Amino acid sequence: MLKVAKKKPFPVVAIGASAGGLEAVTELLQNLPPDTGMAYFYVQHLSPEHPSALAIILSRDAKIRVQDAADQMLVEPDNLYVCVPNKEMVVANGKIELHPRDDSQLPYLPIDDFFCALAVAFKEDVTGIVLSGNASDGTRGLKAIKDAGGTTFAQDNSAKYSSMPANAIEAHAVDFILSPLDIARELGKMSKKGYIKQGIDEVENKNELDDSDPDFKTILSILHKDTRVDFSHYKMNTIKRRMHHRMSKCGEKTVKSYLELLNSNSDEVVVLYKDLLINVTSFFRDKEAFSCLKKVYFPQLLKSKKPGEVLRIWVTACSTGEEAYTIAMLISELQNDIPDKIQIQIFATDLSEDVINIARAGVYSETDIAAISPSRVKKFFTKEGSNYLVIKELREMCVFATHNLLSDPPFSRMDFISCCNLLIYFDAAAQKRAIPTLHFALNDGGYLMLGKSETIGASLLLFTQVDPKFKIFCRKKDTGIRKVPELVPRFPGISTHSNMTIKKHTYPQQFIKAKITNNNYSNLASVIDAILLAGHMPACAVVNKEMEILQFRGSTSLYLAHPSGKASLNILKMARPEFAFELRSAICKVIKQKQPVTAQGVEMEINNVLKTVSLVVYPIEIEGDEPLLLVVFTGEDDIE
């Protein structure tokens, strides 16, 4: 919340509009209570060359004070501050700062820029509102506010020009879709519900959303059962706030009634799940950080690789793929004039299959690519209608897949991991689980980059901080047993998926005992076949499109093992961590290309000796049956 001098903190509300916005914001101000205790800011597309009388016009019907924003003006509650022409507005230390307008970045998106800045500064204490207007300014800003835990509104079909609110709604960046009149009423309700007196985390419904509420715990159990995601270790304030939003939209006043709705309507479970996920990203989201990566860390990693080796990168919580493609652009530029290019594999993961599908497609709107320079757009995108498609070279560099950092097996042998703005949504226990997982996944000397407000906490034995400004850490050499702590459910009744303890394995000799009777040639043939198959057939598994193993062949114990916890035949959960990355990557390619894919040179420690193994994934199509995949594992001759 905004703190001014010794006065009580108060939330801020950012309003953005363009064409038709005057009528919409006038209606909002006419119906806005004069004592909500919030500070309001209004940004509208204005000509930089002409003075504006917008503040004077709006003050005629408003019940709160309306004034032009001025540099170093003290921010007070129940005031509306209007951004003036040819200036960019920022709020810092309880005051307004005005800076010259920056026209170097086109298209000019003042609403997005202002909303994003407020989201960074005030997090969940920001409400964003997009009213009538053309194009899509405001969508990125609403995403940032929602990402930070704030509340977002968009004008409904009453908008004179619907492009701006419609774009935000389509991007799933909006909590409430209402008329200006109803937005004003909702802001009034928010103030009365305790957002002001007690803070946004202590709303009137706090007792209904208490951690110990059995109905609340049952809802989390339903989500876990239906989506396989345990939200009990996410920050409860964010979970409860977003659940409260869904309850409001559905007209449910109690958690009990909302639980009944979830039990009777499976579609609402899906909607709630999607609303709880954080799917906010953009190209070159932190320009300074990406510039540092290109100048310092990526060149180091490329230089460390020999011809034929692969540089492996993992982008966690990749959302719709912008960050993965940003990294692909940077590395492509670094290798632009190098004849013997290092092969790059960028593995990008997210909980949401919906956003993974968007990322795989690689198609983005003009607003999405606004932060990319025209020269890069020309080099890395092809125009398709009104949208832009990432070029094939970058798409083939990236493998997108669903993955849960807290429950799925970790990857290994990564050179760089980006885990920006994910840990802030985890509680302490989940963070303690995530950090060792990321440590396990990295090579010695590999780099981990976190978000600006994130830290490795007490895991100083695992990482050395090499860049405090951009939160970049280097993996310390690990000589002992690696252990990823088990994540115990926060609430009783929620089962955990697996215990991810990883240690050195020893594999005993396999003996085949067969009883052969003298006059039974049929049995003899069967026994010989069994011995040959068991002793010489490569280990392999047949899986369906859900990655469930249908059949085993040969001895698969070197490569596949049952994790502790809930039983599962999912091959990605059973796979040894050393080749989990290659297996996922190969399966995704086969599904997409319908051609066999080979992954070679995977190192595994067996009987305390480092061995090299390979795997091949084949597509299988049987007439009248579902498509299947055959995964074949092969190792060195002396693997036993």
Side-chain angles (χ1 to χ4, degrees):
M1 288 191 180
L2 187 61
K3 296 182 179 180
V4 180
K6 294 183 179 180
K7 296 184 179 181
K8 292 182 179 180
F10 50 87
V12 296
V13 178
I15 306 169
S18 67
L22 180 60
E23 294 92 328
V25 75
T26 297
E27 183 182 1
L28 190 155
L29 292 175
Q30 286 174 338
N31 296 280
L32 185 69
D35 56 353
T36 62
M38 304 177 184
Y40 298 84
F41 301 90
Y42 183 50
V43 180
Q44 182 168 323
H45 295 162
L46 299 171
S47 170
E49 301 174 354
H50 302 287
S52 170
L54 191 56
I56 298 174
I57 296 171
L58 293 176
S59 64
R60 295 170 183 169
D61 299 300
K63 299 176 183 177
I64 61 175
R65 185 182 180 188
V66 180
Q67 54 193 313
D68 283 325
D71 193 42
Q72 298 305 307
M73 177 179 282
L74 194 67
V75 177
E76 299 280 359
D78 298 313
N79 278 256
L80 174 67
Y81 303 93
V82 180
C83 189
V84 296
N86 208 29
K87 295 290 183 180
E88 291 182 352
M89 182 167 57
V90 177
V91 182
N93 300 317
K95 294 181 179 180
I96 293 173
E97 295 180 2
L98 295 181
H99 303 284
R101 171 174 163 170
D102 181 10
D103 291 325
S104 62
Q105 293 291 332
L106 295 175
Y108 181 59
L109 302 170
I111 300 172
D112 276 335
D113 292 342
F114 182 62
F115 281 21
C116 288
L118 284 184
V120 171
F122 303 109
K123 298 181 173 57
E124 69 269 14
D125 301 316
V126 183
T127 295
I129 302 170
V130 168
L131 301 175
S132 173
N134 286 320
S136 57
D137 194 9
T139 297
R140 178 166 54 90
L142 287 186
K143 282 184 176 181
I145 290 174
K146 188 168 184 177
D147 179 29
T151 306
T152 56
F153 293 83
Q155 188 173 355
D156 60 11
N157 55 15
S158 64
K160 186 175 182 180
Y161 297 92
S162 61
S163 296
M164 276 175 46
N167 192 274
I169 294 167
E170 186 177 350
H172 304 289
V174 178
D175 292 316
F176 300 96
I177 305 168
L178 302 170
S179 67
L181 167 63
D182 290 329
I183 292 175
R185 290 174 175 171
E186 190 63 31
L187 291 173
K189 291 178 183 178
M190 287 167 61
S191 66
K192 292 179 181 179
K193 286 180 178 179
Y195 280 77
I196 310 306
K197 296 177 182 178
Q198 301 175 15
I200 199 166
D201 291 334
E202 300 178 277
V203 294
E204 187 178 64
N205 287 2
K206 180 180 178 183
N207 290 333
E208 293 183 291
L209 294 175
D210 190 84
D211 290 359
S212 61
D213 187 322
D215 293 327
F216 177 55
K217 291 189 287 187
T218 302
I219 290 175
L220 293 178
S221 295
I222 290 173
L223 286 167
H224 191 209
K225 178 182 177 182
D226 290 3
T227 69
R228 297 186 178 181
V229 177
D230 179 5
F231 284 104
S232 68
H233 279 289
Y234 284 60
K235 291 285 181 66
M236 283 297 105
N237 286 340
T238 301
I239 296 298
K240 288 186 279 190
R241 184 181 300 109
R242 296 201 171 188
M243 193 178 296
H244 181 262
H245 288 164
R246 284 305 311 162
M247 291 168 58
S248 298
K249 290 179 182 180
C250 297
E252 303 296 341
K253 296 182 179 180
T254 66
V255 178
K256 189 174 189 65
S257 64
Y258 186 57
L259 172 58
E260 292 173 355
L261 174 63
L262 292 173
N263 282 324
S264 62
N265 187 347
S266 59
D267 291 340
E268 178 59 24
V269 177
V270 175
V271 174
L272 175 61
Y273 169 66
K274 291 181 178 180
D275 212 40
L276 293 178
L277 296 179
I278 311 298
N279 293 318
V280 180
T281 187
S282 62
F283 290 102
F284 296 92
R285 189 176 184 184
D286 188 333
K287 294 180 181 179
E288 282 190 288
F290 282 117
S291 177
C292 177
L293 291 176
K294 184 178 180 182
K295 291 178 181 178
V296 180
Y297 298 101
F298 287 163
Q300 289 180 14
L301 291 172
L302 288 169
K303 189 177 180 180
S304 70
K305 294 296 178 180
K306 299 176 183 178
E309 293 184 338
V310 180
L311 179 65
R312 305 175 193 277
I313 294 172
W314 180 14
V315 179
T316 66
C318 69
S319 187
T320 45
E322 286 90 332
E323 184 182 356
Y325 288 128
T326 296
I327 292 174
M329 287 184 228
L330 296 178
I331 295 180
S332 178
E333 290 171 347
L334 287 172
Q335 297 203 101
N336 189 46
D337 299 321
I338 300 176
D340 298 324
K341 294 180 173 58
I342 299 297
Q343 184 183 349
I344 310 298
Q345 289 184 335
I346 301 174
F347 195 63
T349 62
D350 198 279
L351 277 175
S352 170
E353 187 173 352
D354 290 344
V355 299
I356 286 296
N357 290 333
I358 294 173
R360 284 193 188 120
V363 178
Y364 299 95
S365 68
E366 187 171 0
T367 301
D368 294 331
I369 65 168
I372 306 176
S373 66
S375 61
R376 279 178 171 150
V377 172
K378 184 177 180 180
K379 181 177 181 180
F380 295 115
F381 294 83
T382 56
K383 196 139 187 327
E384 291 193 347
S386 59
N387 293 321
Y388 294 81
L389 173 66
V390 177
I391 62 172
K392 184 178 180 181
E393 175 190 342
L394 297 192
R395 297 201 312 274
E396 290 183 344
M397 200 181 293
C398 301
V399 176
F400 295 96
T402 55
H403 181 269
N404 189 331
L405 181 65
L406 297 180
S407 63
D408 288 338
F411 306 119
S412 63
R413 300 189 299 119
M414 296 293 141
D415 300 295
F416 179 84
I417 298 177
S418 173
C419 186
C420 296
N421 304 313
L422 175 61
L423 299 182
I424 57 174
Y425 298 103
F426 293 164
D427 67 8
Q431 291 182 15
K432 289 180 180 179
R433 162 64 188 265
I435 296 298
T437 299
L438 298 172
H439 176 262
F440 173 85
L442 279 170
N443 286 327
D444 286 338
Y447 293 111
L448 166 67
M449 183 170 73
L450 301 180
K452 285 186 175 180
S453 60
E454 295 174 321
T455 178
I456 60 170
S459 303
L460 297 177
L461 295 176
L462 302 180
F463 291 97
T464 300
Q465 188 169 30
V466 295
D467 196 319
K469 181 178 180 181
F470 299 116
K471 295 297 180 72
I472 297 176
F473 302 83
C474 182
R475 182 191 191 277
K476 290 184 178 180
K477 188 175 182 180
D478 177 33
T479 57
I481 295 175
R482 295 191 241 185
K483 181 177 180 181
V484 179
E486 181 178 1
L487 190 61
V488 179
R490 179 188 179 115
F491 301 124
I494 297 181
S495 61
T496 185
H497 280 285
S498 63
N499 179 350
M500 293 306 300
T501 301
I502 302 168
K503 57 181 72 176
K504 294 179 180 179
H505 292 277
T506 58
Y507 295 89
Q509 291 279 349
Q510 300 292 324
F511 294 97
I512 302 174
K513 296 182 179 179
K515 181 180 180 180
I516 303 176
T517 56
N518 282 331
N519 299 314
N520 193 334
Y521 293 100
S522 174
N523 189 40
L524 174 61
S526 299
V527 169
I528 292 173
D529 287 345
I531 294 174
L532 289 175
L533 286 174
H536 301 280
M537 182 181 185
C540 56
V542 178
V543 300
N544 59 19
K545 62 181 180 179
E546 283 78 32
M547 300 301 107
E548 296 296 323
I549 299 175
L550 304 180
Q551 291 189 31
F552 295 95
R553 287 290 189 274
S555 177
T556 60
S557 60
L558 294 179
Y559 314 99
L560 304 173
H562 289 286
S564 60
K566 185 177 179 180
S568 173
L569 284 177
N570 185 294
I571 193 169
L572 300 180
K573 293 184 180 296
M574 294 182 65
R576 282 279 295 267
E578 291 92 331
F579 59 81
F581 174 89
E582 284 77 8
L583 180 59
R584 284 175 176 271
S585 176
I587 287 175
C588 289
K589 287 181 180 179
V590 171
I591 291 175
K592 183 178 180 180
Q593 301 172 3
K594 304 291 192 276
Q595 296 291 331
V597 173
T598 301
Q600 297 178 324
V602 182
E603 294 180 342
M604 287 174 50
E605 189 176 282
I606 299 174
N607 292 332
N608 297 321
V609 178
L610 201 63
K611 304 290 185 178
T612 301
V613 300
S614 302
L615 62 91
V616 187
V617 181
Y618 298 91
I620 301 176
E621 292 190 8
I622 303 173
E623 186 175 354
D625 208 342
E626 65 171 326
L628 302 173
L629 299 173
L630 175 65
V631 182
V632 180
F633 303 96
T634 57
E636 294 181 346
D637 293 337
D638 57 349
I639 293 181
E640 296 179 343

